Amino acid sequence: SLLPPPFYCTNLLGERMNGAGAGGGVLGAGSSYQRFVHSALELTRLRTALTPHPSQEKFRFIQPNDDTTVLNALSYSAPKIRMLRSLTVEKKNSVQVLDFAAFAEPEYDLPIFCANAFTTPAQSIVVLDLNPLYDITVDTDYKDKYYRDLMPLVQKYSELLPWGGKITSESLRFFSPIVIWTIFEPTECNHDVLFSALMDYYKVWLQLTDQAIEENDAAKIVRNGEAQHRYLTWRTEKDPGYPLLKKLIGESQAKDLVSEFLFEGVNSLGSKSFLDYFPEYARDDGTVNKKRSMIGKSYETRPWDATGQFNAG
Ligand code: BLA
């Protein structure tokens, strides 16, 4: 089985504690993001050969305006893997960020590995998922192919990493039924649970990648490429991390980082524009509405059941 036994935080008496009450005030977060990046890369190297991605050269040593902040950017490719990249941001006793993603070559319809965490001394905002390439509310074959056997992951983590509450509605289109969307107090214990979840999800992604069989149908390869492009186009335009990156490295470098590193492929995997994919964001003058969401926030609770069936209220 893919799944080790459930993970619990306990106090000194060995009593189980829930996510919210566990620990208190410890911010061991930044080091754990580096630890995850290191562990994930080690695990990947055991299975395949990583080659530095051309984007690494430009962004490896990117310097923030503020010299108390450390940015770390790594990117690779490998057989079957178009791009695997990681960005961490660390400002002591302030902000800790993880943005780790892996994209398969378009010859594979593999989900996109997506691990995002934004931590301040007050809270950690986390999205961890294998983002589906196709709309799983419609494409049940895709849903069954990748998610049916993974549903136990939700059960494993739903208690300690509970649903984070209302979310930008549009984001749901990019999430799978196993998504971990959570906001928690940044205690050491909670970050241990997060680390365990990050590793579990990444191992699953690596395993799916190992098993993936190359597509030979040219039309399907094009379709996979366009599905990734749509995803990259969305995140390039609407990622919640952008304002902070802009503040850290300035607008022009932030734009480059987003389109040539974080969401590399946005200028090469397809030619449609943001408004071609998401016309509801068009303003009367033809420009893109700057609002992140047109619909607003919704989904107070997890909108999938234990079988992965979508049933929002
Ligand atoms: C907040 N980040 C959020 C939220 C989500 C995500 C869902 C909550 C706000 C909301 O409902 O939109 C993450 N949203 C995602 C992801 C996808 C998505 C991963 O649609 C994928 C499809 N976060 C980062 C990075 C930074 C960051 C790299 O991943 C900074 C460099 C910051 N995220 C950040 C901040 C907030 C946030 C500051 C809170 C402020 C806000 O909501 O705008």
Side-chain angles (χ1 to χ4, degrees), residues 97 116 118 125 127 167-168 171 181 235 240-241 244 292 297:
V97 172
N116 284 74
F118 173 78
I125 303 177
V127 172
I167 183 168
T168 299
S171 293
W181 148 242
R235 294 203 61 187
L244 179 70
R292 175 145 6 113
K297 293 198 180 194

Side-chain angles (χ1 to χ4, degrees), residues 55 58-59 62-63 65 71 85 87 232-233 235-239 241-267 288 290:
S55 63
K58 178 164 175 184
F59 298 103
I62 191 164
Q63 284 297 324
N65 301 327
L71 256 69
R85 92 296 185 280
L87 176 74
L232 295 165
T233 302
R235 294 203 61 187
T236 298
E237 188 72 32
K238 297 295 177 193
D239 207 66
Y242 183 70
L244 179 70
L245 292 175
K246 196 167 131 180
K247 212 172 91 186
L248 277 173
I249 56 178
E251 183 164 10
S252 127
Q253 282 204 96
K255 278 192 169 146
D256 289 356
L257 185 71
V258 164
S259 64
E260 298 170 34
F261 181 86
L262 292 176
F263 308 117
E264 199 274 337
V266 69
N267 293 324
V288 175
K290 292 290 165 207

